[in-house]
Amino acid sequence: MSGALASGTAYAADYERLINGNFSAGADPWWAGTGVGNRVVNGELCATVPGGTANPWDALIGQNGVPFEAGQSYTMKFDAWAASPQPITANLGEAVSPYRGIAAHTVQLTTTKQSFSFTFTPELDFPDAGNGQASFQLGGQAAANTVCVDNVSLVGGVKPPGGDVNEPAKKINVDQVAYVPGLTKHATLTSDATAAQTWALKNAAGATVATGQTTPKGLDAASGDRVHLIDFSSFNTPGTGYALTVGTETSFPFDIGTTAFSKLRYDSLAYFYHNRSGIEIQAQYVGETYARPAGHLNVAPNQGDNNVPCLATLSCGYNLDVRGGWYDAGDHGKYVVNGGISAWQVLNTYERAKLIGDAAALGDGKLRIPEGANGVPDILDEARWEVEFLLKMQAPNGMVHHKIHDVNWTGLPLLPHEDPQPRRLSDTSTAATLNTAAVAAQAARIWKTIDPTFSAKAQAAAVKAYAAAKANPNKIADPNDGTGGGSYSDPTVTDEFYWAAAELFTTTGESTYRSDLTSSPHYRAASLDDRGFDWGATGPLGDITLALVPNGLPASDVTAIKNAFVAIADKHLTQMASQGYPAPYKTRTGEYDWGSGGLIANNTAVLALAHDFTGQAKYREGVFQALHYFLGRNPLSYSYVTGYGEQPVKNVHHRHWANQLDPELPTAPPGALSGGPNSALQDPIAARLLQGCAPQKCFVDHIEAYSVNEVTVNWNSAFAWVANWAAEKVTTAPPVDTTAPSQPGAPSASDITTTGAKLTWTASTDAESGVAGYDVVSVEGTTQRVLTTVTSPSATLTGLTPDTAYHLAVVAKNGAGLKSQSVATTVRTKATDTPAGSCKITWRATSWSGGMSANITIANASGQAWTGWKLEFTLPGTQRISQGWSATWSQSGQAATATNLQWNGNLANGGSTQVGFNSSGSGSGEPTDFRVNGQPCTRG
C-alpha cells in the first residue's frame, strides 16, 4: 500500500465514502437545495423537483463532508427512477466556492428503477468532514417532477474514513478551565499500574508546587479506562497555567481561581440572544463574526413566520403570527415543549436568585442584548423573547400548537434568513398547552410589579390554556410528525398537569389549582429520581417552584419536597464517588442517552438545590465536580462547552455555526453546551465512527453527528442555571461548619505482604457538612506523610518497604476542611529474607501476541503436610486471566491468586499438584515472585 501511495498508482480499498446511502436511517445527512423537498418513501430518497429551472444545478440533493484522495480510484453506484423521464447528473466536487469539480456522470432516468455505475480518479484531496461533496443535479427541466434514488455508494481510496475520530485523549484529565480555591480539586489518571504513582503539580514556570501519590481505582465502567485519582485539594494558591504531571504524562493547563465562572455565567446566557428568531443579531452585542440578519420575517427567500398556516393535513381554519422565540437546536424549528422548559429554567434562574441568591448579577445591563438599560433585569428581557412566542402559539380555543418549522428538513449550512422553505404549524397538543400554562403563570408572577399589563396578559393565557388542557387531557402530539423538525411526542402528560397546577397555584393561590396539585400522583416530588428531568419529564419543575417560592402549602409538604431533592442528591454523590470521571448521571442500563449533557446539567441543579436547602458543603462540592466533567475531566479530554478549555468542542451540529462545512462561517460562540456522549449512536456519522465505544466515549466532535454533538436551548438553559449558581457560590461562602468530624476508628490491618497491607476502620460522621474523605497517613516523628486518600473506610496500601514498621493513622476530613485523626496502629511488613524452599514451582507457558496459556506445578517442600494452600504471583504486562483450572482463581490488577479446591488441598511433604490458566493481553515472561501461603518458593 505504501508503494502505491508513493507512486500514485490507484489502489482501491473497499472503503465506503457515503453515509446512509440506503436511507435506512432516514434522510440524514442528505440535504435538499433551494426549492427541492426530499423525504424517504418506501426506503428511497425521493425529491420533489420544481419545474422551470434553467440549469441542472438549480435543483440539488446531496451529501457534504465526503472524503476524496487525489490519484486514487473511486466507483459510484446508485439506483434511480423518476415519475416522468428526465436526465440527472451525479456530480462529485467541492461544496463551497470556487466549486471545483472532480467528476460528473449524466444518466437518463425512466419511470422504472435502473442501476448506474461509473469510475473516476480525483485530482483533488478532501479530508473527512472537509469540503468534498456528492450531489445529484436534478434541474433544468420545464415541468416539476419527482426523482427517487437508492443504494447510493461511493467506494474507493486507501485511507479508511473516519481515521482518528477524536483528538488524542490525555492520560491526565483535568478541568481545563479552573478549580476553585478551598474546594476539592481532583483529576483522573488513566493507567494500568496497580501501584500508586507519584504526581506533581507545576506552575506556569514549570516549578513543582505540590506532590503526592495517586489512588488506584481500577476499572471504570462508564469509560472502560483503568484509572487513578489525583487529589490536590490542599493546594489553594490562585494562579494560571498550572499543570499536573505523572512521569512523562502532562495534563492540559488550568487555573486556580474564580474569574472564569463569572464569564461562564454570561456566556451561557448569551446563547439565547444568538439563537433568537425574528430579530437582527447585531454586531455591537455579538461581534462581526456572529452578526446576521433577522430570520423568518418574510424577507426573500424566507417565507416568514408572520402568517403561518397549519399543516395541509389539518383544517384549523386560521393562520398565526408566530414571529420571535428561540430557534430550538441545530435546525430552524421552534418547539413549545422544548421552549417551555428552556424559558422556565431561565426565569427560575432569576426567581431563585431573587429569593435566596444574587439577583444583582442578573440585573439590567449585565447581558449584551438590545434591551439593556430599560430598567428590567436583562435575564428577564431575554426570557420574555421566548415567553411572547409561546403565547403566540396559542390557538383561539386555548390549546397551544406543538411546534412550527419548515415543511422539509433543510441541510447544513444554512443561515436563518436564507431558509427558503415554507413554514407550517403542527397540531395543538395537551403537552404544549400545559407547557405554556406553566411558563405563562410563572411569567405572570415574576412580572407582576415589573410590567402589570404583560403580567395580566400572561396570567390570562395561562388560565385559558390550563382549562383547555383539562378539556382535552389526552391530545398527544403525533410521533410520526417528524418531517422538517423533530416530533417531540410525549405520551404521558400527568407530569405537565402537575407542573402547570404548581405554577398556577403559586401565582394565584386559587383552590382549584391547589386541589389538582395535591391530588396529583407527582405531589411532594414523587416523580423526582436519579435519572433526572427534561422536556418530557417536567414534574420536578413544579417541585422546584413549590420549594422555593412562598405558597400556602403545609410546611411539612414543602419540607418533604426539599427532603426528596436531598435524598436524590445523596444518590448522585454516592454514584460519583465510585466513578473515574464523576458526573451525576444514572440510566437504567448504564448507557448514555441522547442529550446526556442536558440530563447531567439538570442533575447538577438537584445537587445545587440540596445545598440551598441544607447548607451542606458536600452538595456544593458535587456541583463543581460535575462542572469539572463538562470542562475536561472526562475520558475524551474534551471540554463540552464551546470556547472553554484547551480542547473545547468546535464542530457542534448547528445550521449557522458551521465552520466545519463552510470556512466562511464561524464555530459556535463561547458558552454552548454539546449534547455529549450517546451510546445509541443515533446518527450515521456516530454509527460509522464509534462502534463498540464505552458509554462515556460515545462522542465525536463532528457537525453531522447530531445525536452526540447537537446544541439546544433546553440543554443550554439547564447549563446556564448551573453556571449562574456556580458563579454565585464561588464568591458566597457556604454556611460555616466549626465542628470537626467524629474521630475515625483506629485502622485494623490485614493481608499484610512485604510491600502492602489492607486497612479498615470505623467510619466518621459529620452532621453539618458531611465526611468528604479520609487520608491514610504514616506518622513519622513529628511529621505525617499521606499514603493514600479514599472516600470509604478502607484502603489498600502498596509500595511499602519490606520488613518495616509503619505507624498508620486515618485522618477524616469534612466538607468544610476540618479534620480529626484516629489513634495510630503499628503495622510491620513482611521481610523479603523469609527462608525460601518451603515450596517449589515449575512454570510452563506458551505465549502469543494476544495472550498466554500457563501450567504450574506446585510442590510441597515445607517438611510437613499442607491441609490447604494459596498460590500468589504477579502476571506480566497487562495479562488478564480469562479461564483457570484446578484452583479457584482471582485477580486484582496484575496480582493473581489461586486457592486449592477441595480435592487437591491436602499435600503431603514432597507431594505436588498442577494448576493452570489462560489469559489475554500483552506481555510475557515468567513471574519471579511465586508465594505459597505467604512463603516464597524456589523454582523447579
Side-chain angles (χ1 to χ4, degrees), residues 188-195 215-229 575-582 635 692-697 878 880-881 891-894 920:
T188 303
L189 169 68
T190 302
S191 173
D192 289 333
T194 57
T215 301
K217 304 288 284 186
L219 181 65
D220 176 57
S223 67
D225 290 342
R226 294 189 175 276
V227 299
H228 292 222
L229 171 69
Q575 181 206 22
M576 292 168 71
S578 70
Q579 293 177 308
Y581 307 92
C693 55
Q696 278 190 344
K697 291 182 177 177
T878 63
R880 307 290 297 177
I881 293 174
Q891 183 175 351
S892 176
Q894 295 310 112
S920 60

Side-chain angles (χ1 to χ4, degrees), residues 598-611:
L599 281 168
I600 290 170
N602 284 327
N603 289 337
T604 305
V606 172
L607 290 167
L609 288 163
H611 179 270

Side-chain angles (χ1 to χ4, degrees), residues 777-781 787 805-809 824-827:
V777 300
S778 173
V779 182
E780 300 167 356
L787 301 180
Y806 287 87
H807 302 289
L808 303 176
T825 298
T826 300
V827 177

Side-chain angles (χ1 to χ4, degrees), residues 641-910:
V641 182
T642 58
Y644 279 79
E646 291 296 309
Q647 187 166 280
V649 292
K650 295 180 179 179
N651 303 310
V652 298
H653 179 80
H654 198 271
R655 290 298 191 277
H656 55 275
W657 297 333
N659 179 265
Q660 188 178 12
L661 297 178
D662 184 347
E664 295 183 3
L665 293 175
T667 57
L673 177 67
S674 168
N678 173 11
S679 307
L681 308 182
Q682 290 169 276
D683 66 75
I685 293 287
R688 184 176 81 176
L689 301 182
L690 299 173
Q691 288 296 324
C693 55
Q696 278 190 344
K697 291 182 177 177
C698 294
F699 175 83
V700 58
D701 184 22
H702 192 297
I703 192 170
E704 297 278 14
Y706 51 82
S707 72
V708 298
N709 206 29
E710 191 172 26
V711 290
T712 74
V713 285
N714 59 303
W715 300 338
N716 241 74
S717 62
F719 184 67
W721 194 105
V722 171
N724 276 271
W725 191 96
E728 180 184 293
K729 293 304 178 183
V730 296
T731 55
T732 303
V736 176
D737 180 353
T738 59
T739 305
S742 66
Q743 183 182 35
S748 174
S750 62
D751 297 337
I752 300 171
T753 66
T754 56
T755 59
K758 181 178 180 181
L759 299 182
T760 56
W761 58 90
T762 302
S764 297
T765 59
D766 191 283
E768 292 177 282
S769 58
V771 176
Y774 302 91
D775 289 337
V776 178
V777 300
S778 173
V779 182
E780 300 167 356
T782 60
T783 64
Q784 294 187 155
R785 179 166 59 94
V786 177
L787 301 180
T788 189
T789 299
V790 295
T791 56
S792 58
S794 66
T796 299
L797 303 182
T798 59
L800 304 181
T801 302
D803 196 21
T804 301
Y806 287 87
H807 302 289
L808 303 176
V810 175
V811 179
K813 302 176 291 185
N814 69 9
L818 302 176
K819 301 177 181 180
S820 64
Q821 183 165 319
S822 74
V823 173
T825 298
T826 300
V827 177
R828 177 175 289 278
T829 53
K830 291 184 177 180
T832 56
D833 58 353
T834 301
S838 62
C839 50
K840 179 184 289 187
I841 296 295
T842 303
W843 166 276
R844 296 183 181 86
T846 301
S847 300
W848 57 91
S849 61
M852 69 166 65
S853 181
N855 287 283
I856 305 169
T857 301
I858 306 169
N860 181 359
S862 67
Q864 56 187 352
W866 291 344
T867 58
W869 51 263
K870 180 171 73 172
L871 171 68
E872 299 172 282
F873 58 95
T874 302
L875 280 165
T878 63
Q879 295 289 340
R880 307 290 297 177
I881 293 174
S882 57
Q883 179 187 21
W885 52 88
S886 300
T888 299
W889 289 89
S890 63
Q891 183 175 351
S892 176
Q894 295 310 112
T897 301
T899 305
N900 68 272
L901 301 177
Q902 184 176 5
W903 59 269
N904 64 357
N906 294 315
L907 282 184
N909 182 42

Side-chain angles (χ1 to χ4, degrees), residues 130-224:
N131 292 324
Q133 181 186 84
S135 66
F136 290 99
Q137 299 177 349
L138 312 176
Q141 305 299 307
N145 202 2
T146 297
V147 174
C148 298
V149 296
D150 194 8
N151 300 318
V152 187
S153 171
L154 178 64
V155 172
V158 298
K159 298 177 183 177
D164 293 327
V165 299
N166 289 308
E167 295 292 333
K170 287 280 191 178
K171 294 294 185 181
I172 305 173
N173 284 301
V174 299
D175 182 324
Q176 299 167 22
V177 178
Y179 290 87
V180 176
L183 291 183
T184 297
K185 300 173 192 69
H186 287 170
T188 303
L189 169 68
T190 302
S191 173
D192 289 333
T194 57
Q197 305 292 297
T198 300
W199 59 261
L201 176 65
K202 298 185 177 182
N203 63 19
T208 298
V209 294
T211 61
Q213 295 289 303
T214 67
T215 301
K217 304 288 284 186
L219 181 65
D220 176 57
S223 67

Side-chain angles (χ1 to χ4, degrees), residues 38-64:
N38 66 339
R39 65 177 62 197
V40 175
V41 180
N42 297 324
E44 301 174 331
L45 184 67
C46 292
T48 54
V49 185
T53 54
N55 305 295
W57 53 85
D58 290 338
L60 298 169
I61 57 174
Q63 182 176 134
N64 292 337

Side-chain angles (χ1 to χ4, degrees), residues 36 82 123 180 184 199 210 213 235 256 276 320 348 379 403 423 426 544 565 603 654-655 723 779 829-830 916:
V36 178
E123 296 180 358
V180 176
T184 297
W199 59 261
Q213 295 289 303
F235 188 85
I256 294 178
R276 284 191 191 184
L320 293 181
N348 185 258
I379 192 171
K403 55 180 182 164
R423 309 277 278 176
S426 289
I544 294 171
F565 277 80
N603 289 337
H654 198 271
R655 290 298 191 277
V779 182
T829 53
K830 291 184 177 180

